[in-house]
Amino acid sequence: MVLAALLAGAYPLLVGRPAPAPSDRADGAAQEQHLVHGEPTQEQNGQPTTQGGAPPSGAEAENGRLDPDTLVPIDGGQGTHLLVAEAAAAFEQLRAAALAAGVGFEINSAYRTYDEQVALAERLGTLDEGGTAAEPGLSEHGWGISVDLTLDFEELGWMRANAGGFGFAETVAAEPWHWTYTG
């Protein structure tokens, strides 16, 4: 599967870091820091600067330019929030478990096309410009594996305790609303 190939090359090192503190910010901005042994791979002026990740060699898709036929709605079929099939199936299982536990949350963002990434970067600025958006073409959202959620403190606690069992991890230390399917 395309997702398995992407995850095999881009996300094997996303473990072993402390969970970020809760935040009430949920604007969907991306500060995607890929971690190596629990630490951001680069810093500039004390701020993490590594965003997204290149696909492994041989991957056919480009970040933000996935074949629409590979994307699945995770918003009750409305089609406004999409993930690749494997991530979408895992997310639906996660959401069902959350609802069974009395925890609900709203989806703010999922797959972002390259053009959407460009617009977000223009609006918020990129990390290397002092902004909060990932460099277009490097966002985890562009791989169809990340979702931004509106989470209150209780919902965030549930996610931190349970999301890993469904293959989701916090991959952006400053964004507790950003969850990425790592398999």
Side-chain angles (χ1 to χ4, degrees):
M1 295 188 120
V2 172
L3 177 60
L6 292 172
L7 293 175
Y11 299 102
L13 303 173
L14 293 173
V15 295
R17 68 171 174 84
S23 168
D24 59 2
R25 185 173 164 225
D27 63 4
Q31 289 184 353
E32 294 158 11
Q33 308 161 8
H34 286 269
L35 306 175
V36 176
H37 305 294
E39 297 298 324
T41 56
Q42 296 179 24
E43 288 194 5
Q44 181 177 45
N45 299 325
Q47 296 296 315
T49 59
T50 301
Q51 308 156 18
S57 60
E60 295 177 23
E62 291 181 38
N63 186 298
R65 301 181 197 283
L66 302 183
D67 179 345
D69 291 336
T70 67
L71 299 168
V72 176
I74 57 168
D75 52 9
Q78 296 175 27
T80 56
H81 300 296
L82 307 166
L83 294 175
V84 293
E86 188 175 339
F91 182 79
E92 292 299 351
Q93 291 174 351
L94 178 147
R95 182 172 30 204
L99 288 172
V103 174
F105 41 76
E106 183 180 326
I107 302 167
N108 293 321
S109 181
Y111 173 69
R112 291 185 189 140
T113 66
Y114 182 81
D115 291 341
E116 290 168 333
Q117 294 175 51
V118 168
L120 191 64
E122 287 174 354
R123 184 167 54 91
L124 300 174
T126 61
L127 283 173
D128 61 347
E129 300 169 334
T132 57
E135 185 72 31
L138 299 180
S139 172
E140 290 175 336
H141 289 281
W143 295 120
I145 58 173
S146 289
V147 59
D148 289 346
L149 306 172
T150 298
L151 301 169
D152 66 19
F153 188 75
E154 177 187 346
E155 295 158 350
L156 178 60
W158 189 93
M159 287 292 291
R160 287 180 171 160
N162 297 285
F166 297 91
F168 283 85
E170 286 180 272
T171 58
V172 181
E175 295 183 359
W177 60 84
H178 178 93
W179 293 84
T180 297
Y181 181 70
T182 60

